[in-house]
Amino acid sequence: MTARQTLPIPRLSLLLTHAGMLAEQVLRAFWPFFSVFMAILAALMLGLQDHVGVETVWTVGGVALVGLLVTLILGARRFHAPSRAEALMRLDESLPGRPIQALMDDQAIGSMDTDSVALWHAHQTRMAQQAAQAEPVKPDLRLADRDPYALRYSALLALVIAGLFGSFWRIGSVADMAPGAAVAGQGPSWEGWVEPPRYTGLPTLYLADQSGPKLSVPQGSRITLRFYGEVGAHTLTETTTPLGTVEATDSEQDIVVNRSGQLRIVGPAGRDWSLDVLQDIAPRIGVADAAEAEAGGQMRLPFAAGDDYGVVSGTATIELDLAALDRRYGLTVAPEEREVIEVELPMPITGDRADFTEDLIEDFSQHPWAHLPVRITLTARDAADQETSSEPYVTALPARRFFDPLAAAVMEQRRDLLWSRDNAPRVAQLLRAVSHLPEDFFRSDTAYLRLRVTLRRLETFTRYDLKPEQQEEIAQALWDLAVLIEEGTLADALERMRRAQERLTEAMQNGASDEEIAELMQELRDATQDYMRQLQRLAQENGEDGENPQGQNGETLQMTQDDLQRMMDRIQELMEQGRMAEAQQALEEFQQMMENMRVTQGQGQGQQSEGQQAMEGLAETLRDQQGLSDRAFRDLQEQFNPGTQSGQSQNNEGRNGGQGRGESHEGQGGRGQEGSDQADGGGQQGQEGSLADRQQALRDELGRQQQNLPGGGTPEGEAARDALDRAGRAMDDAEQALRSDDLAEAIDRQSEAMEALREGMRSLGEALAENQQNQPGQGAQEGDMQANNRDPLGRTPGANGSISTDDNLLQGEDVYRRARELLDEIRRRTGDTDRPQIELEYLKRLLERF
């Protein structure tokens, strides 16, 4: 095969290889020329020629032109255009066996031998197949050996900076420095800026770059002009101020644009613009949907607001609508003067405030105007201090509703009392009538007694002229009474369920008939369903999940009505089969499960001692500090290995303390609220500042805990305080390091803080243990009983450990409830087979006796 014959090589591969070789030659020969050219262009675009004299400009310009010419000549001498043959050789070198060269060779010997010719053609065919698979060869564009100091990159960086912060039009200023324009080059010049108001978020405009005849600027923009050269060479004429046409020749001009007009600079290189001022539109706001009351009684009022540059703040003004009020009963008298209600409207923490919808949530359940017609006026204010008020929204002020008739009657009398103190005699008379026959209305003696006490205080205050502070006191007492009556339904349902359980247990032990057991079982079903309904209603009013009540230890009981129904069906099935022992054990398990449910709001809370609360707070602080340190360590790894820690960070998100104090990861349970992954959602921007803010919040929380730290006056307590002081100083140092972007130093200081926290917790634990040894009666419930020197049934010990007379027994239904609780506890322990045999026998004897 001769060289003239067509080679089976991909044409595109050869062209790309040839182009790469050409790029190599261009860069190797002309990189000095390109570097000098980019440096000169960057200097001109940045306007460096405007800051030096004309002589300097022309001197440097001449040197630069000589440098360009020299580098161009040297580059032309070094440049060698690659040929097609060189491209073929480059491509052939990248292939195994040099197939292109083989295709260009001729058979040297054996051309007359048939077998030799056939072998040669087979060899040529294989080489042609390899050559047909040739890929383009990448060019070698590295210039490190020719440019060891990377001057080309410095010139490129300067050009990029000039493109970002300079202007291509500044190159034209060199024309004013030409020899024919020497006077203009040495004469006056000017520059100016248009700075829009900061709240608009718009960039500053450089007037020299504004080539158009019309210029649109926001209202309130500040125009700054500076005239250089001889005073009076330039004159400013503008019609944008209220003074009208004004001419000024001062070297520095500063005006605020309030209306459209003309702006003219008269003199050398003067300019003329028509200013179009964009008016700042007033904000808009209005009610988006009807106001309604949440389950807990809070008012929820959706509203929509917006502004061209964003709403800054807003308020809601609520005033009583007397014209729409039904003036009957206690509202017939003139109302007392009360100030209108003003509350701040919630603004979006993140996002655009130019157009948004939010909910105003406030609790007005205890306000005198609750459920009365009111007018709600919303007001929005923007950054320019422009205010807009919505049309008054007329509605009954949403608040908590009381469904129990007695509680609703108490709330009505409370409203009348707050309406006017002149209603006090009438309110006292009606309350006395309500409490005349308590057995017909009150389900709890406690509620009745509280009403009687409140009534007597009201009558006493009324006799001696009711004062405003006394009015508030009685109103608060009536509110507490209404809540007690309303929520007392839950306690009644619990009492019915307990009584049904006990009667069923007694019937099983006494061998009752199937009809009696079936009747008692149905009673237990009804009581349990009623209790669950009341429990779910109370949970919904408190904003909790009514389907998942919590146990006393905080665990969630995933229990539904169907689960309870299946448990009771199982108990009834066992009883019908005569398996009373198993049925009784299943009933005891059912009783224990129901007892673990949260009976009243807040049960299980507040029973911890001050020391236990302090220990839990410090433990939470330690966990948050550990999470914050982990986050800082991941960010430090990200700095040295970008992209390698992203997956690990995502896997670690949500761990306890993963977002520090300010960002919750356990259902908003932290000491701040930002969401569990909100910080990560924004990428790495502003990460160190966010970490520093969380560290500061953590330090503030530790300072609050130090103020309430128990164990004062003991060596262990003082040691705990000293350790926490060291932890606080270490947190301060960590915060400073985070704000300085020194993550390594911050991690070291955070480690010191965690070690000091652990030491403080150990010392505090020793102080609490020492305190309990000195004062053994400080427990939650046992401490109360020992402090009162009574046994579980309220009896005081007599001489020689005997029990005194029954005069000191607990009175009322509390003694029966306490006795039932003790009996239930004895039954529960009897069913625990892991207890010692001697204890089980003793518990069985107690059951047989009682």
Side-chain angles (χ1 to χ4, degrees):
M1 180 180 294
T2 62
R4 296 180 180 178
Q5 291 177 303
T6 303
L7 297 174
I9 303 173
R11 184 177 182 83
L12 180 60
S13 299
L14 182 61
L15 290 178
L16 292 178
T17 304
H18 193 206
M21 296 177 65
L22 181 62
E24 290 179 6
Q25 292 295 325
V26 171
L27 285 180
R28 293 175 181 178
F30 294 103
W31 74 265
F33 174 78
F34 294 148
S35 300
V36 174
F37 179 76
M38 288 188 295
I40 295 174
L41 187 61
L44 294 177
M45 291 176 63
L46 289 173
L48 300 182
Q49 68 275 10
D50 297 335
H51 299 281
V52 296
V54 178
E55 295 81 4
T56 304
V57 172
W58 284 105
T59 301
V60 175
V63 174
L65 290 177
V66 172
L68 280 177
L69 183 61
V70 170
T71 53
L72 182 62
I73 294 174
L74 293 177
R77 294 181 60 182
R78 297 173 183 171
F79 178 74
H80 168 68
S83 63
R84 182 176 181 274
E86 293 174 343
L88 285 173
M89 292 301 101
R90 173 72 68 84
L91 194 62
D92 191 27
E93 292 173 355
S94 65
L95 297 174
R98 305 292 293 270
I100 298 177
Q101 183 63 42
L103 291 174
M104 298 174 63
D105 291 340
D106 294 330
Q107 185 175 2
I109 59 175
S111 58
M112 304 302 295
D113 186 0
T114 305
D115 294 337
S116 179
V117 171
L119 179 61
W120 174 257
H121 284 306
H123 173 67
Q124 292 278 29
T125 301
R126 283 198 303 269
M127 294 298 102
Q129 292 175 355
Q130 293 184 10
Q133 298 176 358
E135 297 290 339
V137 180
K138 296 182 179 179
D140 183 9
L141 303 180
R142 293 175 297 178
L143 300 175
D145 55 339
R146 292 175 171 79
D147 182 17
Y149 299 104
L151 299 178
R152 63 193 185 282
Y153 291 133
S154 301
L156 179 61
L157 177 61
L159 183 61
V160 171
I161 294 175
L164 292 175
F165 302 102
S167 173
F168 186 79
W169 301 106
R170 291 188 178 182
I171 301 177
S173 62
V174 179
D176 297 335
M177 301 181 181
V183 177
Q186 299 175 1
S189 61
W190 62 271
E191 60 180 350
W193 303 268
V194 178
E195 183 180 0
R198 186 177 301 274
Y199 64 84
T200 62
L202 299 176
T204 300
L205 301 179
Y206 187 66
L207 282 177
D209 294 341
Q210 310 305 314
S211 58
K214 189 174 181 180
L215 189 61
S216 297
V217 297
Q219 183 182 9
S221 298
R222 181 178 298 275
I223 299 179
T224 302
L225 292 171
R226 293 178 183 174
F227 298 150
Y228 304 108
E230 183 180 355
V231 177
H234 285 88
T235 302
L236 171 66
T237 303
E238 58 91 14
T239 60
T240 62
T241 60
L243 298 179
T245 303
V246 178
E247 294 184 359
T249 59
D250 295 340
S251 59
E252 184 170 347
Q253 304 292 329
D254 192 355
I255 59 176
V256 177
V257 179
N258 293 317
R259 62 183 183 182
S260 301
Q262 295 292 325
L263 181 67
R264 181 181 296 109
I265 300 176
V266 181
R271 299 285 295 276
D272 186 7
W273 294 278
S274 175
L275 293 182
D276 182 16
V277 175
L278 304 177
Q279 299 294 328
D280 192 336
I281 303 175
R284 59 188 182 279
I285 190 171
V287 177
D289 202 352
E292 59 183 11
E294 298 286 347
Q298 300 89 349
M299 180 192 75
R300 178 179 177 272
L301 177 63
F303 68 94
D307 186 64
D308 46 0
Y309 298 114
V311 178
V312 174
S313 62
T315 57
T317 303
I318 304 176
E319 54 184 348
L320 184 64
D321 189 4
L322 281 174
L325 184 62
D326 186 7
R327 303 289 296 274
R328 293 189 298 172
Y329 309 118
L331 304 180
T332 56
V333 300
E336 296 179 356
E337 291 293 334
R338 291 191 180 273
E339 297 181 356
V340 297
I341 305 173
E342 288 191 0
V343 294
E344 293 290 332
L345 293 178
M347 295 288 115
I349 300 177
T350 59
D352 187 12
R353 293 191 180 184
D355 189 9
F356 65 92
T357 301
E358 280 286 345
D359 292 337
L360 171 62
I361 299 178
E362 290 288 340
D363 191 356
F364 298 108
S365 299
Q366 300 190 47
H367 197 274
W369 296 345
H371 302 296
L372 297 182
V374 294
R375 293 191 302 269
I376 304 177
T377 304
L378 306 180
T379 303
R381 185 173 71 255
D382 62 7
D385 287 336
Q386 298 183 104
E387 288 189 354
T388 300
S389 297
S390 66
E391 292 293 330
Y393 173 70
V394 179
T395 182
L397 186 60
R400 175 175 178 174
R401 303 192 67 87
F402 289 83
F403 300 98
D404 187 278
L406 180 58
V410 172
M411 285 300 298
E412 181 180 358
Q413 299 311 307
R414 177 183 180 273
R415 180 204 64 186
D416 294 346
L417 180 63
L418 290 175
W419 180 263
S420 175
R421 280 174 287 171
D422 295 339
N423 284 331
R426 178 180 178 276
V427 170
Q429 184 179 11
L430 290 175
L431 291 179
R432 180 168 291 279
V434 169
S435 61
H436 178 59
L437 295 175
E439 60 276 4
D440 295 336
F441 295 100
F442 292 89
R443 295 184 299 271
S444 171
D445 293 340
T446 303
Y448 170 71
L449 293 176
R450 291 183 65 171
L451 176 60
R452 296 295 296 181
V453 171
T454 303
L455 177 59
R456 285 195 297 269
R457 292 183 62 82
L458 176 60
E459 291 175 341
T460 303
F461 292 153
T462 305
R463 190 177 303 113
Y464 297 100
D465 192 9
L466 185 64
K467 303 294 190 300
E469 57 272 12
Q470 297 170 344
Q471 179 190 29
E472 295 295 333
E473 176 187 345
I474 298 299
Q476 184 61 43
L478 292 176
W479 168 267
D480 296 337
L481 176 61
V483 172
L484 175 63
I485 297 173
E486 178 73 13
E487 296 180 352
T489 307
L490 180 62
D492 297 338
L494 177 63
E495 188 65 26
R496 284 183 54 203
M497 185 182 65
R498 285 175 172 172
R499 189 164 50 249
Q501 292 173 357
E502 293 174 359
R503 294 180 61 186
L504 181 59
T505 301
E506 294 175 359
M508 293 167 58
Q509 293 176 349
N510 297 332
S513 62
D514 294 341
E515 292 78 8
E516 292 177 342
I517 290 180
E519 182 180 352
L520 293 174
M521 193 66 200
Q522 185 61 39
E523 179 182 353
L524 177 60
R525 291 176 187 271
D526 297 339
T528 303
Q529 291 177 359
D530 186 23
Y531 172 69
M532 292 298 295
R533 284 195 299 268
Q534 296 296 337
L535 187 65
Q536 184 176 3
R537 179 186 63 82
L538 180 60
Q540 291 176 352
E541 292 179 357
N542 294 334
E544 302 172 355
D545 188 359
E547 296 181 358
N548 298 325
Q550 296 180 352
Q552 294 178 357
N553 297 327
E555 70 274 7
T556 301
L557 301 177
Q558 301 290 342
M559 185 64 59
T560 63
Q561 293 284 358
D562 294 337
D563 297 331
L564 294 176
Q565 188 68 27
R566 283 192 294 270
M567 292 182 67
M568 287 186 287
D569 290 343
R570 176 61 177 167
I571 295 173
Q572 187 170 3
E573 180 181 355
L574 292 173
M575 290 188 298
E576 291 175 353
Q577 296 175 359
R579 300 156 63 182
M580 292 300 176
E582 297 181 19
Q584 185 172 357
Q585 182 178 359
L587 181 59
E588 291 176 356
E589 294 176 358
F590 176 78
Q591 292 173 347
Q592 182 64 27
M593 184 272 298
M594 297 303 294
E595 287 293 335
N596 286 336
M597 286 188 176
R598 185 172 55 190
V599 178
T600 58
Q601 183 180 12
Q603 179 178 351
Q605 302 176 0
Q607 297 179 358
Q608 294 178 331
S609 66
E610 182 181 3
Q612 291 173 336
Q613 294 176 357
M615 289 292 289
E616 289 184 1
L618 291 177
E620 179 67 16
T621 302
L622 178 60
R623 287 192 293 269
D624 291 346
Q625 182 62 81
Q626 179 65 57
L628 197 60
S629 179
D630 293 344
R631 186 59 176 273
F633 181 72
R634 291 197 299 272
D635 290 351
L636 182 62
Q637 289 179 312
E638 183 68 17
Q639 289 183 359
F640 290 97
N641 300 290
T644 61
Q645 300 297 327
S646 59
Q648 179 181 356
S649 298
Q650 292 175 0
N651 293 334
N652 291 337
E653 287 174 4
R655 62 178 294 182
N656 196 9
Q659 301 300 333
R661 179 76 60 180
E663 187 174 351
S664 176
H665 43 267
E666 293 179 355
Q668 313 286 343
R671 288 171 175 80
Q673 200 27 193
E674 301 177 87
S676 58
D677 299 322
Q678 295 175 356
D680 291 340
Q684 296 296 329
Q685 183 178 3
Q687 194 68 273
E688 286 75 22
S690 179
L691 290 177
D693 293 340
R694 296 173 194 157
Q695 186 66 71
Q696 181 183 4
L698 201 59
R699 174 65 180 93
D700 296 340
E701 176 61 20
L702 179 61
R704 185 192 65 79
Q705 293 174 351
Q706 287 179 267
Q707 296 176 359
N708 302 325
L709 197 67
T714 62
E716 294 82 2
E718 295 302 324
R721 285 174 168 79
D722 294 340
L724 296 183
D725 288 338
R726 292 197 306 273
R729 290 191 295 269
M731 288 181 179
D732 292 335
D733 296 339
E735 177 193 352
Q736 297 301 325
L738 288 173
R739 297 195 185 280
S740 303
D741 198 18
D742 190 355
L743 292 177
E745 178 66 15
I747 293 172
D748 292 339
R749 302 289 77 78
Q750 289 171 343
S751 299
E752 294 179 4
M754 288 186 288
E755 185 61 28
L757 279 173
R758 295 188 183 99
E759 183 179 349
M761 292 177 64
R762 285 194 296 268
S763 300
L764 180 59
E766 294 174 359
L768 294 177
E770 184 68 19
N771 187 29
Q772 289 179 358
Q773 291 179 2
N774 296 333
Q775 299 178 359
Q778 297 298 324
Q781 293 180 355
E782 296 178 0
D784 293 338
M785 291 186 291
Q786 293 179 7
N788 294 328
N789 199 22
R790 294 175 181 268
D791 70 347
L793 293 180
R795 297 173 293 185
T796 57
N800 299 325
S802 62
I803 302 300
S804 66
T805 63
D806 294 341
D807 295 338
N808 292 328
L809 282 174
L810 293 173
Q811 301 299 321
E813 63 178 355
D814 288 340
V815 63
Y816 301 105
R817 180 179 293 111
R818 183 57 180 160
R820 283 192 297 270
E821 292 174 354
L822 292 175
L823 188 59
D824 293 340
E825 179 65 19
I826 293 173
R827 289 171 178 165
R828 186 187 68 80
R829 295 190 182 187
T830 305
D832 188 359
T833 58
D834 294 335
R835 295 182 177 275
Q837 186 64 29
I838 186 173
E839 181 181 353
L840 293 176
E841 293 176 357
Y842 172 71
L843 294 175
K844 290 179 180 179
R845 289 197 301 271
L846 289 178
L847 286 176
E848 293 173 358
R849 180 175 181 181
F850 296 104

